[in-house]
Amino acid sequence: MAWTQALWLSVIQGLTEFLPISSSGHLALAPALFNWPDQGLAFDVAAHVGSLIAVLIYFHKDIILIIGDWLRSLAGGPVTIYSKLAWSIALATALVGGAGILLEDMVSTALRNPLPIAGATIVFGIILGATDKFGAKRRRIESISWKDVLVIGGAQVLALIPGTSRSGITISAGLMMGLTREAAARFSFLLAIPVIALAGIWLGTGLAEQAQPVQWSILFFATAVSAMVALLCIHYFLRYLQHFSLLPFMIYRLILGVILLVVFL
């Protein structure tokens, strides 16, 4: 793989993992536009590890509190917002993990081509804009209930459809349940931790079964770039949501979906 391709794909992964704009849509479009070869499974693992490192760094204080309060709750301690978040993340992860196992064949074959990706990019972009406009946007993350978890966790299952955007659909579900933009995004990013970790393990298992040579320098570079870009993305996106709407992201998704249709039809 050329260093230029590695750089751009790492930047795309770092941005699109957390912005509600569909990573699969961008990763499908980039090779077609620049005539790049497939980046391969090893690169995907490295880029995912970078995104995971970023979210762990950004939310490290919350993660420590979540794990600590969760362990205390297992020992009969009081229920806190952090132990509740831990159980919420576990439930939402179980939902998407079970669905992923059941739907693996369909997701990895029939849905993984440019036209379904374009359709999902457009449809779920419209949903993002609608929930942002009509959601109450009053509730903070501390108010999350089990009903919210079931809805947001169930919505996360839809992210198995390429082009949906995991962050986009979970933020949309949070807005639909009345969360503020920032609260919906924070919960979405916390949900991303086990999902990205599981995806990395899953991809890593497939990588271990391959006998191809590995470009370690490219992989370390991809991990570092993806982590730095994702860390900046999380920080500035959360600041953005304190003051502005998600309308620009809906418009961007509509444009991306149309471009995908034009390029691949």
Side-chain angles (χ1 to χ4, degrees), residues 164-176:
T164 300
S165 169
R166 194 208 59 80
S167 62
I169 195 62
T170 50
I171 290 172
S172 295
L175 291 170
M176 185 177 70

PDB file of all heavy atoms in Angstrom, residues 164-176:
ATOM      1  N   THR A 164     -25.241   3.141   7.061  1.00  0.00           N
ATOM      2  CA  THR A 164     -26.113   3.695   8.094  1.00  0.00           C
ATOM      3  C   THR A 164     -25.383   4.709   8.963  1.00  0.00           C
ATOM      4  O   THR A 164     -25.909   5.780   9.268  1.00  0.00           O
ATOM      5  CB  THR A 164     -26.668   2.560   8.984  1.00  0.00           C
ATOM      6  OG1 THR A 164     -27.406   1.662   8.164  1.00  0.00           O
ATOM      7  CG2 THR A 164     -27.559   3.112  10.070  1.00  0.00           C
ATOM      8  N   SER A 165     -24.179   4.388   9.400  1.00  0.00           N
ATOM      9  CA  SER A 165     -23.371   5.149  10.358  1.00  0.00           C
ATOM     10  C   SER A 165     -23.806   4.801  11.774  1.00  0.00           C
ATOM     11  O   SER A 165     -24.906   5.144  12.203  1.00  0.00           O
ATOM     12  CB  SER A 165     -23.460   6.662  10.152  1.00  0.00           C
ATOM     13  OG  SER A 165     -22.863   7.347  11.247  1.00  0.00           O
ATOM     14  N   ARG A 166     -22.911   4.124  12.496  1.00  0.00           N
ATOM     15  CA  ARG A 166     -23.218   3.730  13.873  1.00  0.00           C
ATOM     16  C   ARG A 166     -23.473   4.944  14.748  1.00  0.00           C
ATOM     17  O   ARG A 166     -24.444   4.999  15.489  1.00  0.00           O
ATOM     18  CB  ARG A 166     -22.061   2.891  14.436  1.00  0.00           C
ATOM     19  CG  ARG A 166     -22.399   2.150  15.728  1.00  0.00           C
ATOM     20  CD  ARG A 166     -21.176   1.928  16.576  1.00  0.00           C
ATOM     21  NE  ARG A 166     -20.558   3.193  16.911  1.00  0.00           N
ATOM     22  CZ  ARG A 166     -20.988   3.987  17.890  1.00  0.00           C
ATOM     23  NH1 ARG A 166     -22.022   3.634  18.629  1.00  0.00           N
ATOM     24  NH2 ARG A 166     -20.399   5.136  18.122  1.00  0.00           N
ATOM     25  N   SER A 167     -22.591   5.938  14.645  1.00  0.00           N
ATOM     26  CA  SER A 167     -22.801   7.131  15.457  1.00  0.00           C
ATOM     27  C   SER A 167     -24.070   7.863  15.021  1.00  0.00           C
ATOM     28  O   SER A 167     -24.825   8.378  15.856  1.00  0.00           O
ATOM     29  CB  SER A 167     -21.592   8.058  15.369  1.00  0.00           C
ATOM     30  OG  SER A 167     -21.386   8.513  14.048  1.00  0.00           O
ATOM     31  N   GLY A 168     -24.326   7.908  13.711  1.00  0.00           N
ATOM     32  CA  GLY A 168     -25.500   8.614  13.209  1.00  0.00           C
ATOM     33  C   GLY A 168     -26.795   8.027  13.718  1.00  0.00           C
ATOM     34  O   GLY A 168     -27.691   8.747  14.185  1.00  0.00           O
ATOM     35  N   ILE A 169     -26.932   6.704  13.667  1.00  0.00           N
ATOM     36  CA  ILE A 169     -28.202   6.088  14.048  1.00  0.00           C
ATOM     37  C   ILE A 169     -28.393   6.107  15.559  1.00  0.00           C
ATOM     38  O   ILE A 169     -29.518   6.259  16.053  1.00  0.00           O
ATOM     39  CB  ILE A 169     -28.308   4.642  13.488  1.00  0.00           C
ATOM     40  CG1 ILE A 169     -29.761   4.148  13.572  1.00  0.00           C
ATOM     41  CG2 ILE A 169     -27.376   3.691  14.203  1.00  0.00           C
ATOM     42  CD1 ILE A 169     -30.748   4.945  12.760  1.00  0.00           C
ATOM     43  N   THR A 170     -27.315   5.970  16.341  1.00  0.00           N
ATOM     44  CA  THR A 170     -27.471   6.010  17.796  1.00  0.00           C
ATOM     45  C   THR A 170     -27.740   7.435  18.280  1.00  0.00           C
ATOM     46  O   THR A 170     -28.518   7.635  19.214  1.00  0.00           O
ATOM     47  CB  THR A 170     -26.228   5.436  18.499  1.00  0.00           C
ATOM     48  OG1 THR A 170     -25.043   6.038  17.971  1.00  0.00           O
ATOM     49  CG2 THR A 170     -26.139   3.932  18.304  1.00  0.00           C
ATOM     50  N   ILE A 171     -27.117   8.426  17.648  1.00  0.00           N
ATOM     51  CA  ILE A 171     -27.430   9.820  17.991  1.00  0.00           C
ATOM     52  C   ILE A 171     -28.877  10.131  17.619  1.00  0.00           C
ATOM     53  O   ILE A 171     -29.604  10.779  18.380  1.00  0.00           O
ATOM     54  CB  ILE A 171     -26.456  10.783  17.291  1.00  0.00           C
ATOM     55  CG1 ILE A 171     -25.056  10.654  17.895  1.00  0.00           C
ATOM     56  CG2 ILE A 171     -26.952  12.228  17.401  1.00  0.00           C
ATOM     57  CD1 ILE A 171     -23.983  11.425  17.151  1.00  0.00           C
ATOM     58  N   SER A 172     -29.319   9.648  16.463  1.00  0.00           N
ATOM     59  CA  SER A 172     -30.713   9.852  16.049  1.00  0.00           C
ATOM     60  C   SER A 172     -31.677   9.252  17.064  1.00  0.00           C
ATOM     61  O   SER A 172     -32.681   9.878  17.444  1.00  0.00           O
ATOM     62  CB  SER A 172     -30.959   9.221  14.676  1.00  0.00           C
ATOM     63  OG  SER A 172     -30.211   9.854  13.668  1.00  0.00           O
ATOM     64  N   ALA A 173     -31.382   8.032  17.524  1.00  0.00           N
ATOM     65  CA  ALA A 173     -32.249   7.376  18.507  1.00  0.00           C
ATOM     66  C   ALA A 173     -32.254   8.136  19.826  1.00  0.00           C
ATOM     67  O   ALA A 173     -33.303   8.296  20.465  1.00  0.00           O
ATOM     68  CB  ALA A 173     -31.789   5.938  18.729  1.00  0.00           C
ATOM     69  N   GLY A 174     -31.088   8.618  20.251  1.00  0.00           N
ATOM     70  CA  GLY A 174     -31.023   9.404  21.477  1.00  0.00           C
ATOM     71  C   GLY A 174     -31.828  10.685  21.372  1.00  0.00           C
ATOM     72  O   GLY A 174     -32.547  11.071  22.310  1.00  0.00           O
ATOM     73  N   LEU A 175     -31.742  11.367  20.227  1.00  0.00           N
ATOM     74  CA  LEU A 175     -32.530  12.582  20.015  1.00  0.00           C
ATOM     75  C   LEU A 175     -34.023  12.269  20.010  1.00  0.00           C
ATOM     76  O   LEU A 175     -34.837  13.037  20.544  1.00  0.00           O
ATOM     77  CB  LEU A 175     -32.117  13.240  18.695  1.00  0.00           C
ATOM     78  CG  LEU A 175     -30.718  13.854  18.657  1.00  0.00           C
ATOM     79  CD1 LEU A 175     -30.349  14.245  17.226  1.00  0.00           C
ATOM     80  CD2 LEU A 175     -30.647  15.074  19.569  1.00  0.00           C
ATOM     81  N   MET A 176     -34.391  11.150  19.408  1.00  0.00           N
ATOM     82  CA  MET A 176     -35.789  10.748  19.372  1.00  0.00           C
ATOM     83  C   MET A 176     -36.337  10.529  20.787  1.00  0.00           C
ATOM     84  O   MET A 176     -37.508  10.781  21.061  1.00  0.00           O
ATOM     85  CB  MET A 176     -35.946   9.465  18.553  1.00  0.00           C
ATOM     86  CG  MET A 176     -37.382   9.029  18.350  1.00  0.00           C
ATOM     87  SD  MET A 176     -37.497   7.566  17.302  1.00  0.00           S
ATOM     88  CE  MET A 176     -36.804   6.308  18.397  1.00  0.00           C
TER      89      MET A 176
END
